[in-house]
Amino acid sequence: MFRDAMEAAQVGIFILQDQCFKFVNPFLAGLLGYSVEELVGAMGPLDVVAPEYQGLVYEQMSLRASGVAGHAYELTIVRKDGSTFPATVQGSPAVIGGRQASVGTIVDISTQKSAEQRIRELADYDVLTGLPNRRLLRERFTQLQAAAERDKAELALIFLDLDHFKRVNDSLGHSVGDELLCEVARRLGSVVRRVDTLARLGGDEFIFAMPGFHTAAAADVARRLIDVFARPFEVAGHELTVTPSLGISIYPHDGEDLETLLRNADTAMYRAKEIGRNAFQFYASEMNSSSLDRLLMESNLRRALAQREFVLHYQPLVNLESGLIIGVEALIRWLHPELGAILPDRFIHVAEESGLINPIGDWVLCEACRQAQAWRDEGLPPISMAVNVAPVQFRQSGFIEVVAGALATSGLEAGRLELELTERTVMHDADATMGTLSALHRMGVELSLDDFGTGYSSLAYLKRFPVGKLKIDRSFVNDLETDPDDWAIASTIVSMGRSLRMTVLAEGVEKPEQLALLRKMGCDMAQGYHFSRPVSAEGMADMLRRQPFIRE
């Protein structure tokens, strides 16, 4: 039965002992091109593998001889006639005649390897949308470029990216996002000509390579592409409205190879996003300089985080009735080794776009809590520590745990930490936001609404949010003493805050006249240059020792 089984097997089977074949079945002998007699007792695996694999095979034989179980691995087998083929080898330790041996198989995977190679060669199309992928785009561009050079013609490359596509995936799931991409691909295909190439680079990025297009013609196509998105997409029972941002580069003016043209079209596309999205922009050389500055800024930010170049300054929050500093706002500064102190308005937007805002924001939170507790340990009056929270940081998974960790590490009471959120942050997906706000409130953390009056708050949601403070945006305070509209808005916010049992703080107070009006309308707190510019931790400690602080 054993002999019949071995002779019928369509896989190479062997038994090794002392690194020599003690048994091979007829299939293996035929696979190697030897007779059974030539192999058994006279040859071993090292005689039939390519030289570069002999070290691996020797190691595996030693392991089997010591009783270690084997796993499948690939190598190249050399037949008697010198030809080779790829194979998978699997061996297992055994004991035969009281001595260590191994039993294994050799499988010819030539057909499998050929199929894999063929698949790689045929993998020119995006699996999801059926559009050409980057590989086929590159091949077709080479052909289009050759024709353009011959005819001395231009070639337009349009880079299209969907605006806020991530929101679809995050809110409705990736399957809906995939269906939307397929629908987008079908609509975009209706715009291109037979000689054009529409490709998908991945994600929500689509590329158009369009021969014979000059600037004006490319602009006309871009407008038609934007019009394609005017009608909502019906996907999985949802009616979705999405918009595109497009960047255009022209061969040979904006680049003479695909990668350069793609990079420049991508740069132009981001400029379209900056001007409001649902728009197109042509590449201009100054964009490259801007993009380079941004890349350098991002690189420097990463270094700054690693080298601890960030510091916090603090601005007092003053109670207008008692004249005491009852809180401070933590404000980040970047102490660049060459440029000196850099204010956040120069780097925060880059941090948000690059994803660095999360580690930077987490550092600010931990450092602010540490400093607040350090002042308390010095015996200074207890105050609240207000920390701005960026929208991306607030929506990151684990934000509540980050806050809890900062409090636990510093020892600061939760009630002494105040998180400042903008209207846009809390109103984005308000129902989901409610859960995070409620969890923070249950921890005892205070919450305030920053820049109030500049966003799109719903009073119905505002009364539900566990927010204890409203901050009147500085834009309503700047001309408070001269603009009746600003006075009306500020006084309305104060009245509304009082009705909702919230504290109201005015920011950007720079003049005594502004302070007098705010006091008259019943505003609770204020901050601004009239009291103090942001100062170091040591400077703030000196202020806290000089209570009461307020000056007329």
Side-chain angles (χ1 to χ4, degrees):
M1 288 174 63
F2 174 81
R3 186 181 302 109
D4 289 345
M6 292 301 100
E7 290 179 353
Q10 296 301 295
V11 60
I13 301 173
F14 63 85
I15 296 175
L16 291 180
Q17 203 168 43
D18 301 324
Q19 299 181 8
C20 185
F21 291 120
K22 294 302 180 184
F23 169 85
V24 297
N25 70 337
F27 187 88
L28 178 56
L31 194 61
L32 299 176
Y34 292 93
S35 66
V36 171
E37 291 73 22
E38 287 178 300
L39 292 169
V40 173
M43 299 177 66
L46 295 177
D47 300 311
V48 296
V49 299
E52 63 267 28
Y53 290 99
Q54 289 185 350
L56 171 64
V57 171
Y58 182 83
E59 178 185 9
Q60 292 296 318
M61 287 193 297
S62 300
L63 290 170
R64 299 301 86 72
S66 61
V68 178
H71 58 82
Y73 58 98
E74 294 183 7
L75 45 65
T76 300
I77 299 290
V78 181
R79 296 187 180 94
K80 183 177 181 179
D81 62 7
S83 62
T84 62
F85 65 93
T88 297
V89 178
Q90 171 94 48
S92 298
V95 176
I96 299 176
R99 297 170 52 226
Q100 284 295 137
S102 63
V103 178
T105 59
I106 296 178
V107 179
D108 182 356
I109 56 173
S110 300
T111 302
Q112 175 186 331
K113 288 295 183 182
S114 297
E116 291 174 353
Q117 180 63 28
R118 183 60 177 160
I119 290 171
R120 283 194 293 270
E121 292 173 355
L122 295 175
D124 287 332
Y125 292 90
D126 175 54
V127 175
L128 179 64
T129 63
L131 294 177
N133 59 15
R134 184 186 290 267
R135 174 175 168 164
L136 185 53
L137 171 66
R138 184 177 290 108
E139 180 181 316
R140 291 189 180 176
F141 178 82
T142 301
Q143 298 168 358
L144 295 174
Q145 182 184 24
E149 288 178 357
R150 182 187 66 241
D151 301 335
K152 296 188 173 12
E154 294 177 322
L155 170 62
L157 206 70
I158 301 179
F159 196 120
L160 184 150
D161 182 90
L162 301 183
D163 298 328
H164 303 303
F165 176 72
K166 186 175 183 294
R167 292 181 183 175
V168 176
N169 280 337
D170 290 346
S171 58
L172 300 177
H174 288 274
S175 60
V176 174
D178 287 348
E179 285 190 50
L180 175 60
L181 289 173
C182 291
E183 287 300 317
V184 167
R186 277 191 278 273
R187 285 200 196 175
L188 294 178
S190 67
V191 178
V192 299
R193 305 167 301 174
R194 189 179 296 274
V195 295
D196 301 329
T197 293
L198 165 59
R200 179 182 177 227
L201 289 191
D204 59 338
E205 297 176 342
F206 297 86
I207 299 296
F208 300 80
M210 315 184 86
F213 270 85
H214 49 77
T215 301
D220 182 61
V221 171
R223 292 188 190 95
R224 283 191 281 139
L225 289 171
I226 291 174
D227 289 342
V228 160
F229 291 83
R231 181 166 45 91
F233 293 85
E234 294 184 6
V235 178
H238 302 279
E239 193 173 82
L240 304 177
T241 299
V242 292
T243 58
S245 292
L246 299 89
I248 306 171
S249 59
I250 304 292
Y251 169 88
H253 311 294
D254 299 326
E256 297 186 355
D257 60 81
L258 178 61
E259 294 307 319
T260 301
L261 289 166
L262 280 175
R263 184 170 60 250
N264 291 341
D266 183 47
T267 299
M269 181 271 294
Y270 275 104
R271 179 61 59 86
K273 287 186 181 292
E274 289 171 3
I275 65 172
R277 306 176 190 271
N278 197 29
F280 68 89
Q281 285 283 293
F282 282 90
Y283 172 76
S285 57
E286 58 267 21
M287 290 183 187
N288 235 340
S289 176
S290 175
S291 296
L292 181 59
D293 289 345
R294 185 194 176 284
L295 285 173
L296 290 174
M297 176 69 79
E298 180 179 337
S299 176
N300 284 330
L301 279 175
R302 294 184 187 278
R303 188 209 66 231
L305 196 58
Q307 298 296 325
R308 301 183 178 181
E309 294 175 5
F310 295 114
V311 297
L312 292 184
H313 284 189
Y314 304 89
Q315 189 172 37
L317 310 179
V318 181
N319 183 293
L320 298 187
E321 183 176 346
S322 66
L324 297 174
I325 298 174
I326 60 173
V328 298
E329 180 178 357
L331 300 165
I332 191 171
R333 299 291 185 263
W334 178 7
L335 298 183
H336 193 283
E338 298 172 2
L339 303 177
I342 301 177
L343 296 179
D345 58 357
R346 287 186 56 192
F347 64 83
I348 285 297
H349 69 284
V350 176
E352 290 178 337
E353 292 171 3
S354 63
L356 289 170
I357 193 65
N358 286 340
I360 292 175
D362 294 349
W363 175 84
V364 170
L365 189 60
C366 293
E367 175 61 17
C369 290
R370 184 203 65 77
Q371 184 60 65
Q373 185 59 37
W375 285 329
R376 191 77 185 94
D377 294 341
E378 290 178 32
L380 293 172
I383 59 172
S384 63
M385 175 63 73
V387 178
N388 288 284
V389 178
V392 176
Q393 182 187 9
F394 179 74
R395 290 193 286 269
Q396 70 173 313
S397 60
F399 176 67
I400 295 172
E401 289 75 13
V402 171
V403 174
L407 291 170
T409 302
S410 64
L412 184 68
E413 296 176 25
R416 295 294 174 188
L417 175 62
E418 179 180 298
L419 300 181
E420 294 189 359
L421 305 159
T422 65
E423 285 185 84
R424 291 176 176 83
T425 299
V426 298
M427 290 305 298
H428 174 80
D429 196 0
D431 291 328
T433 298
M434 181 68 75
T436 304
L437 293 176
S438 298
L440 292 168
H441 182 65
R442 287 194 297 272
M443 287 169 55
V445 174
E446 296 295 324
L447 301 168
S448 70
L449 209 52
D450 200 6
D451 302 337
F452 189 77
T454 63
Y456 45 90
S457 283
S458 162
L459 294 180
Y461 274 108
L462 185 60
K463 71 177 184 179
R464 291 172 53 200
F465 288 144
V467 173
K469 181 185 291 181
L470 300 180
K471 294 188 73 174
I472 303 175
D473 185 68
R474 66 182 63 248
S475 63
F476 303 125
V477 176
N478 289 341
D479 301 315
L480 190 63
E481 71 277 23
T482 59
D483 189 329
D485 291 337
D486 283 350
W487 187 91
I489 292 171
S491 61
T492 300
I493 294 175
V494 171
S495 298
M496 182 175 64
R498 181 165 295 173
S499 299
L500 294 172
R501 296 181 297 280
M502 295 181 180
T503 301
V504 179
L505 180 149
E507 55 185 357
V509 178
E510 298 183 357
K511 305 172 187 176
E513 295 84 1
Q514 296 168 342
L515 178 60
L517 288 171
L518 289 167
R519 275 177 156 171
K520 185 176 180 180
M521 66 179 67
C523 186
D524 302 297
M525 300 173 65
Q527 72 179 109
Y529 287 178
H530 176 71
F531 306 106
S532 171
R533 291 177 176 271
V535 297
S536 66
E538 293 77 12
M540 181 53 63
D542 290 339
M543 288 187 195
L544 292 173
R545 295 187 185 100
R546 299 201 308 267
Q547 302 274 30
F549 171 79
I550 200 168
R551 52 193 173 92
E552 300 299 333

